[in-house]
Amino acid sequence: MQLNPVFDTLFLFYPGFGSWVCIQANAMNVMSDFLPGSVHWQLGLAGLGFAAVLPQKSVKSAVLYSVIATVLPIVVSILILSIYPNSARAGLPVLAGLVFGPSVGLWYAGANSRAWRGAGIRLAAFFVLIAGAAYSVGSIFDGNTAGINIGNTGFIIGGGVMIGSTVWDTFVAGPRTVSAVRARTENKPPDANKPDSL
């Protein structure tokens, strides 16, 4: 398969940048009690990590980040196809967005294990979808009606799970987790060893 430098750069950039944002968000969550507000603001200028470095989480930000991380790769794929119409791997950013994008709101909220679990569910569902589609197409050429029905069922189940998990993590699980984090933060008793901020 011929290498495409533009596509390879974009495809490697997306998961790499996403991983960096997650690491930054977790680091800032850990250090939020020790860094002054000005440092939070300056570190936040790096990009999507802006809201992640703030002590107070936002439900709207969680949803927005998940939506952007899911939709942006689709736009990237459209741009790649407009430049390289015959690119065989232009759909990979879409896959990355559908698998990891809905989990961004959960990573933002600090629910790492739940975020990875959702990504794993969507990845498994994608393989079920692809296997079902391939089996169905193969059964069409073989004239196997039962095989077509089995393949179509796998395709529908895989696609349904991907869509359902995407909607759930983006609009339900992420916001609920952020709300829980906010509730714990607001109900947290003041630290006697920490001086009051001016």
Side-chain angles (χ1 to χ4, degrees), residues 5-6 8 16 37 58 65-66 74-75 95 119 122 140 155 157 169 174:
V6 174
D8 291 338
S58 166
Y65 291 163
S66 289
I74 299 176
V75 176
L95 175 60
R122 287 184 293 276
I140 291 174
F155 179 84
I157 291 175
D169 281 359

Side-chain angles (χ1 to χ4, degrees), residues 34-61:
F34 305 100
L35 294 177
S38 59
V39 176
H40 283 291
W41 182 81
Q42 292 169 17
L43 291 174
L45 290 179
L48 287 179
F50 176 71
V53 302
L54 297 176
Q56 188 66 279
K57 302 293 183 179
S58 166
V59 171
K60 290 182 179 179
S61 295

Side-chain angles (χ1 to χ4, degrees), residues 1-9 84 87 89:
M1 184 179 293
Q2 186 176 4
L3 295 179
N4 185 323
V6 174
F7 173 77
D8 291 338
T9 301
Y84 300 98
S87 176
R89 295 175 292 173

Side-chain angles (χ1 to χ4, degrees), residues 171-182:
F171 298 104
V172 180
R176 281 184 181 176
T177 305
V178 170
S179 297
V181 170
R182 287 177 61 101

